[in-house]
Amino acid sequence: MRRLSNHIGTTVFASIGVALLVLIGLDAVGEIIDQSGRLGRNYHFSDALIYVGTLLPSRLYEFMPFGCLIGCLIGLGILQGNSEVVVMRAAGVSPCKWLALCSNQCLCLLFWLWLLASIFPLSGSVGRGAPRILTKRGDCSGFYFRFLEP
């Protein structure tokens, strides 16, 4: 049973990772496109990349439940496509047992994400009056926050 739980766990965990990578990647590309409309004399493309990079932890926190759901479905689909679910059923493992093994991965990931989010505050809140990181150009260098109205 230990090998089975490891096999299901690695398949589901890898599927969750790929699903999160796709979701966050698409969101980051969309945010870069959105920020490209604001490029100007004092706001360059590198500044937009820095801003999008600061949003990634909060986007991970937002997309984790969806990534777990999509990743579990993809992982179970992979197992079904390879007829491994049929072999598990023939071996006497109930569907409730392998679904519990699958959901353990999701609950573990969500717990660790909740723990990290409670210890380290998430930056990059998006909404009205959200801080945008801009780089000063000219004689001074560094970061400052400016509140942009929509």
Side-chain angles (χ1 to χ4, degrees):
M1 188 56 89
R2 185 173 175 97
R3 282 188 184 174
L4 180 63
S5 78
N6 285 342
H7 180 62
I8 291 174
T10 55
T11 304
V12 169
F13 189 72
S15 300
I16 289 172
V18 169
L20 281 173
L21 186 68
V22 168
L23 284 173
I24 293 173
L26 287 175
D27 185 63
V29 168
E31 188 65 32
I32 288 173
I33 291 170
D34 184 43
Q35 291 294 315
S36 68
R38 298 183 178 151
L39 296 178
R41 186 172 179 202
N42 291 331
Y43 189 63
H44 300 281
F45 187 70
S46 62
D47 302 327
L49 289 177
I50 291 171
Y51 170 69
V52 171
T54 59
L55 285 180
L56 289 180
S58 64
R59 300 297 185 171
L60 175 68
Y61 187 76
E62 290 175 13
F63 287 130
M64 181 62 86
F66 300 116
C68 283
L69 175 69
I70 294 169
C72 279
L73 291 175
I74 290 172
L76 289 175
I78 289 171
L79 291 174
Q80 180 64 38
N82 294 335
S83 300
E84 295 173 18
V85 173
V86 175
V87 172
M88 286 188 276
R89 289 294 307 262
V93 179
S94 69
C96 294
K97 181 66 177 175
W98 49 266
L99 286 176
L101 292 172
C102 181
S103 65
N104 283 342
Q105 296 296 317
C106 291
L107 291 176
C108 183
L109 281 174
L110 290 174
F111 173 75
W112 282 108
L113 186 70
W114 171 78
L115 188 65
L116 287 174
S118 63
I119 293 173
F120 303 109
L122 296 173
S123 64
S125 61
V126 177
R128 186 177 175 158
R132 307 283 179 161
I133 297 178
L134 301 174
T135 306
K136 291 190 258 180
R137 300 289 178 192
D139 3 296
C140 300
S141 65
F143 294 106
Y144 66 93
F145 290 97
R146 185 181 92 174
F147 291 93
L148 297 175
E149 293 299 321

